[in-house]
């Protein structure tokens, strides 16, 4: 069999691995890159129509976000995932498509003023719906045959409702090899969902490393800590704005807020309002309520058995329309605002930041992982001002983070997971981690006696009776290095073009009235300017200057990167 590592290698988003085995070609996840792009994901090396099926570890967009594009480009196979993941993908992929369409429409409105070429969305709602029709739900713990010689089982990994590690048994000839893809490994004792299930046997393991070089801070009493933040913020007359992933983290916050209100832990502010300002979060909350209780942990099941809805908060208000969203910030009553996206890269949360970041009485509370290059990470690191919708905003609000509140296992949790195998796997492939984090986690595993490596995007490995052999190294060139070199080359080309135009203009001006006399001396590529006369040659030079940032590819890429904070960029 052969494996090709296509995405989320030495970075944490855009997960995708392609396997070719037992006469089949299939993918593990097909996610969208989010935040800072460190290493370029590799394109599929085959046409989408040649992919037989896809296995999905969980619903987050950095693991599923390119499935509509796959369907758009001709994929017609099945997409296998747990039943809750199928339900969540049904809303998340449509939401992603709405954002793609909105972003393209926004760019085109701006582009009309500058004469830019129209852009098309990466994919549409119709593409998302086509992808959703390809999903097939699978029960946890049930071993299924995907094709002759390929069997799979989904095991609860405790990261998100429906999240799974995937066990694969691949038989070629008389040899059966077991692979395990960890998916995103969950943290312990998260509310609502179960702790990770540990797997005991594998020949080869492909595991995430998001927190591979550090542990979470000691787990606080989240209810007590959150109550303190609410109390001091409300006493100042401010709002608590929570950038929250629509799926998973929003429901956990509702779980804590219900308990805070039930116990009366915030004094003097009565039944303070709590807003969910995310249509996606509203739909996800409905799916949580409708999910089979067997997917929940013991505490949540105990509440349900008593007739208590664990995520039903008194005073909860749902914002559906844009007008509903805008009205939240016209009301000066201290409140909690839960809004997506969790890393502040897109969605309504950016509007709430615009209205609350500059107010010293308010608090911005982060409750999840913030990737490098995202607005959320920038705020946590203490920036003094940010730009939102083209407007500079001072950061005067209190910036807080509920430490230890993560859906990801920390370093100790990752080691606990990999050491649960009764015999060490023949090799551990470390994926889904920031660049140096992956390298450090490989060192840690090596010190513990594992054979481990961290492939780059584009790497290919063969696995057979003789073991795992690297066929091709991936690319180690960082995107910013390549972009910078491209920009320099583009600048050089532009300057040469502009200098040539200026020289031509001087020649024409010097020979005004005698154009026929200079024809033999003009280069062929300048004939158009010469025949159109001095005025058009001047216009050529002027137009070249105006088009500096749009006609030269390197400049276009560079400028788009600079303006990323002004547009919606799609999230984990």
């Amino acid at each position: 069999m052969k494996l090709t590592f296509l995405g989320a290698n030495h970075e944490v988003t855009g997960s995708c691995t392609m396997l070719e085995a037992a006469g089949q070609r299939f993918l593990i996840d097909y996610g969208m890159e989010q935040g800072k792009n460190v290493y370029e994901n590799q394109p599929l090396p085959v046409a989408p129509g040649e992919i037989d099926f896809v296995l999905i570890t969980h619903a987050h967009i950095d693991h599923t976000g390119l499935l509509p594009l796959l369907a758009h480009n001709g994929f017609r196979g099945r997409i296998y995932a747990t039943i809750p993941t199928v339900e969540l993908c049904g809303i998340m992929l449509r939401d992603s498509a709405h954002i793609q369409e909105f972003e393209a429409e926004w760019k085109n409105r701006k582009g009309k003023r500058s004469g830019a070429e129209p852009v098309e969305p990466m994919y549409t709602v119709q593409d998302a719906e086509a992808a959703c029709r390809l999903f097939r739900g699978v029960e946890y713990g049930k071993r299924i045959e995907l094709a002759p010689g390929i069997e799979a089982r989904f095991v609860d990994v405790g990261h998100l409702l429906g999240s799974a590690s995937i066990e694969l048994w691949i038989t070629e000839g008389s040899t059966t090899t077991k692979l395990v893809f960890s998916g995103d490994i969950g943290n312990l004792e998260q509310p609502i969902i179960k702790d990770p299930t540990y797997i005991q046997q594998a020949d080869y393991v492909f595991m995430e490393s998001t927190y591979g070089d550090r542990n979470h801070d000691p787990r606080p009493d989240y209810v007590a800590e959150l109550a303190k933040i609410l109390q001091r913020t409300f006493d100042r007359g401010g709002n608590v704005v929570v950038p929250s992933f629509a799926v998973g983290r929003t429901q956990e916050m509702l779980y804590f807020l219900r308990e805070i209100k039930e116990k009366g832990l915030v004094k003097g502010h009565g039944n303070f309002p709590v807003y969910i300002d995310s249509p996606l979060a509203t739909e996800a909350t409905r799916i949580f309520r409708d999910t089979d209780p067997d997917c929940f942990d013991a505490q949540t099941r105990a509440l349900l058995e008593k007739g208590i809805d664990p995520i039903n908060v008194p005073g909860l208000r749902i914002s559906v329309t844009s007008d509903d969203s805008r009205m939240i910030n016209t009301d000066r009553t201290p409140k909690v605002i839960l809004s997506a996206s969790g890393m502040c890269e897109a969605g309504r949360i950016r509007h709430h930041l615009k209205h609350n970041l500059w107010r010293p009485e308010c608090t911005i509370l982060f409750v999840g992982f913030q990737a490098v290059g995202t607005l959320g990470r920038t705020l946590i690191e203490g920036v003094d001002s940010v730009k939102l919708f083209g407007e500079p905003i001072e950061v005067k609000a209190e910036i807080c983070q509920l430490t230890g509140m993560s859906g990801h296992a920390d370093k100790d949790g990752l080691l606990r997971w990999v050491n649960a195998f009764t015999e060490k796997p023949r090799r551990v492939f470390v994926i889904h981690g920031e660049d140096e984090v992956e390298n450090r986690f490989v060192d840690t595993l090596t010190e513990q006696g594992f054979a481990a490596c961290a492939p780059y995007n584009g790497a290919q490995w063969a696995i057979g009776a003789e073991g795992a052999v690297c066929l091709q190294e991936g690319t180690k060139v960082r995107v910013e290095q390549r972009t910078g070199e491209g920009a320099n080359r583009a600048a050089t080309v532009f300057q040469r073009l502009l200098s040539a135009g200026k020289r031509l203009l001087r020649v024409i001006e010097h020979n005004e009235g005698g154009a026929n006399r200079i024809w033999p001396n003009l280069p062929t590529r300048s004939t158009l300017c010469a025949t159109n006369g001095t005025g058009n040659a001047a216009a050529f030079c002027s137009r070249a200057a105006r088009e500096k940032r749009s006609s030269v590819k390197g400049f276009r890429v560079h400028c788009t990167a600079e303006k990323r904070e002004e547009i919606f960029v799609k999230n984990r």
Side-chain angles (χ1 to χ4, degrees):
M1 78 182 78
K2 185 171 78 171
L3 296 98
T4 305
F5 296 86
L6 298 173
N9 300 290
H10 291 263
E11 55 187 1
V12 294
T13 65
S15 293
C16 185
T17 305
M18 187 177 79
L19 283 78
E20 297 170 88
Q24 299 288 300
R25 185 181 285 124
F26 59 100
L27 304 179
I28 307 293
D29 291 336
Y30 196 35
M32 183 183 292
E33 288 185 280
Q34 298 172 291
K36 186 178 181 180
N37 188 11
V38 181
Y39 294 98
E40 194 74 56
N41 276 14
Q42 298 300 298
L44 289 178
V46 299
E50 297 179 25
I51 301 295
D52 294 297
F53 56 87
V54 181
L55 306 179
I56 296 298
T57 60
H58 66 284
H60 279 150
I61 290 297
D62 65 315
H63 291 255
T64 64
L66 294 184
L67 291 174
L69 185 63
L70 195 69
H72 174 84
N73 289 329
F75 171 72
R76 297 296 181 266
R78 291 184 174 182
I79 303 172
Y80 295 94
T82 65
I83 294 169
T85 295
V86 172
E87 293 296 317
L88 291 172
C89 284
I91 61 172
M92 295 181 73
L93 294 180
R94 288 180 177 89
D95 180 74
S96 175
H98 277 298
I99 290 179
Q100 299 301 323
E101 291 179 342
F102 176 85
E103 181 179 322
E105 180 185 355
W106 184 85
K107 287 180 178 178
N108 286 333
R109 282 202 306 269
K110 290 194 70 176
K112 281 184 179 180
R113 296 193 290 270
S114 62
E117 289 293 321
V119 300
E120 295 291 330
M122 180 186 297
Y123 52 78
T124 65
V125 172
Q126 184 177 359
D127 297 327
E129 290 173 346
C132 289
R133 289 192 291 270
L134 302 175
F135 274 90
R136 298 293 184 272
V138 179
E139 296 178 11
Y140 277 126
K142 183 177 180 180
R143 187 163 166 171
I144 61 171
E145 184 181 65
L146 303 173
I150 303 177
E151 293 181 289
R153 182 165 61 197
F154 290 74
V155 178
D156 195 340
V157 75
H159 170 66
L160 176 75
L161 184 68
S163 64
S165 297
I166 300 175
E167 298 175 279
L168 281 172
W169 290 267
I170 296 178
T171 302
E172 295 179 309
S174 59
T175 302
T176 297
T177 304
K178 185 179 179 184
L179 314 180
V180 171
F181 287 81
S182 72
D184 286 3
I185 300 167
N187 202 0
L188 297 178
E189 298 180 18
Q190 293 188 86
I192 305 176
I193 61 176
K194 295 178 179 178
D195 286 348
T197 300
Y198 298 112
I199 300 170
Q200 295 186 329
Q201 191 276 326
D203 296 310
Y204 296 93
V205 169
F206 305 79
M207 72 175 296
E208 67 112 333
S209 56
T210 308
Y211 283 91
D213 66 341
R214 60 200 184 279
N215 285 320
H216 300 315
D217 291 335
R219 183 182 180 89
D221 182 338
Y222 290 129
V223 170
E225 289 299 313
L226 179 56
K228 290 177 185 176
I229 293 169
L230 297 178
Q231 186 73 62
R232 67 174 180 260
T233 305
F234 293 167
D235 288 347
R236 296 193 301 253
N239 300 322
V240 176
V241 179
V242 186
S244 184
F245 298 111
V247 180
R249 197 50 44 82
T250 293
Q251 292 73 38
E252 291 176 12
M253 293 301 295
L254 293 176
Y255 187 95
F256 295 142
L257 289 164
R258 179 199 61 81
E259 186 172 344
I260 286 171
K261 289 200 171 193
E262 181 184 81
K263 295 179 178 179
L265 299 181
V266 175
K267 311 296 183 183
H269 297 282
N271 189 23
F272 59 87
V274 176
Y275 287 89
I276 295 182
D277 188 26
S278 165
L280 178 61
T282 301
E283 285 296 304
T285 301
R286 175 189 59 77
I287 290 173
F288 268 69
R289 289 194 172 111
D290 294 342
T291 293
D292 185 341
D294 286 344
C295 293
F296 300 138
D297 63 11
Q299 294 90 333
T300 301
R301 291 198 305 272
L303 289 172
L304 291 170
E305 288 168 2
K306 295 177 184 177
I308 299 173
D309 184 342
I311 54 178
N312 184 29
V313 179
L316 181 63
R317 305 178 188 183
I318 306 296
S319 297
V320 178
T321 68
S322 297
D323 287 340
D324 293 338
S325 178
R326 281 190 287 269
M327 290 299 294
I328 294 173
N329 289 299
T330 64
D331 177 10
R332 289 297 175 178
T333 303
K335 65 187 77 66
V336 176
I337 304 171
L338 300 168
S339 188
S341 68
M343 297 188 196
C344 307
E345 286 295 280
R348 294 179 179 180
I349 187 62
R350 294 171 72 87
H351 292 275
H352 295 300
L353 292 176
K354 177 180 176 180
H355 288 283
N356 290 275
L357 267 176
W358 58 272
R359 298 174 57 193
E361 67 271 24
C362 293
T363 297
I364 313 300
L365 175 61
F366 288 95
V367 292
F369 177 77
Q370 304 298 311
V372 172
T374 62
L375 177 57
R377 181 71 161 256
T378 301
L379 289 169
I380 285 176
E381 290 174 348
V383 69
D384 293 327
S385 67
V386 297
K387 185 178 284 188
L388 290 165
F389 308 104
E391 180 181 343
I393 306 292
E394 281 194 275
V395 179
K396 293 184 177 180
E398 179 183 359
I399 307 297
C400 290
Q401 188 172 24
L402 278 182
T403 57
M405 190 172 182
S406 173
H408 285 271
D410 60 9
K411 180 180 177 180
D412 285 349
L414 296 174
L415 292 174
R416 192 161 43 244
W417 185 87
V418 74
N419 278 294
F421 293 101
T422 53
E423 293 184 8
K424 284 184 168 56
R426 298 179 69 177
R427 181 172 289 272
V428 178
F429 294 88
V430 175
I431 58 178
H432 198 288
E434 291 175 0
D435 191 13
E436 288 305 313
V437 175
E438 283 195 14
N439 294 332
R440 286 192 282 269
F441 192 60
V442 166
D443 292 342
T444 299
L445 291 176
T446 302
E447 291 168 2
Q448 295 197 5
F450 290 90
C453 64
Y456 287 82
N457 292 336
Q460 292 185 347
W461 284 71
I463 292 178
E466 70 282 2
V469 178
C470 181
L471 304 176
Q472 174 179 298
E473 296 283 351
T475 177
K476 299 181 182 181
V477 179
R478 288 172 169 262
V479 169
E480 56 264 35
Q481 292 173 349
R482 192 161 57 247
T483 300
E485 293 165 2
N488 289 336
R489 287 195 298 271
T492 301
V493 171
F494 174 77
Q495 291 300 329
R496 289 168 59 191
L497 177 63
L498 190 60
S499 297
K502 289 178 178 179
R503 288 197 300 271
L504 176 61
L505 180 59
R506 287 196 297 269
V507 170
I508 294 173
E509 289 174 338
H510 178 73
N511 291 279
E512 184 174 4
N516 292 339
R517 190 161 34 85
I518 67 169
W519 272 70
N521 298 321
L522 286 176
T524 302
R525 63 185 176 184
S526 300
T527 301
L528 180 61
C529 289
T531 55
N532 285 339
T534 303
N536 282 353
F540 165 80
C541 298
S542 175
R543 186 169 67 252
R546 288 199 308 272
E547 293 179 351
K548 174 179 178 180
R549 300 170 84 85
S550 60
S551 295
V552 182
K553 183 177 180 182
F555 279 96
R556 181 185 296 164
V557 171
H558 181 64
C559 294
T560 300
E562 287 178 340
K563 294 180 179 294
R564 283 173 61 188
E565 73 275 8
E566 297 180 20
I567 64 174
F568 288 132
V569 178
K570 197 50 201 143
N571 125 305
R572 180 185 187 138

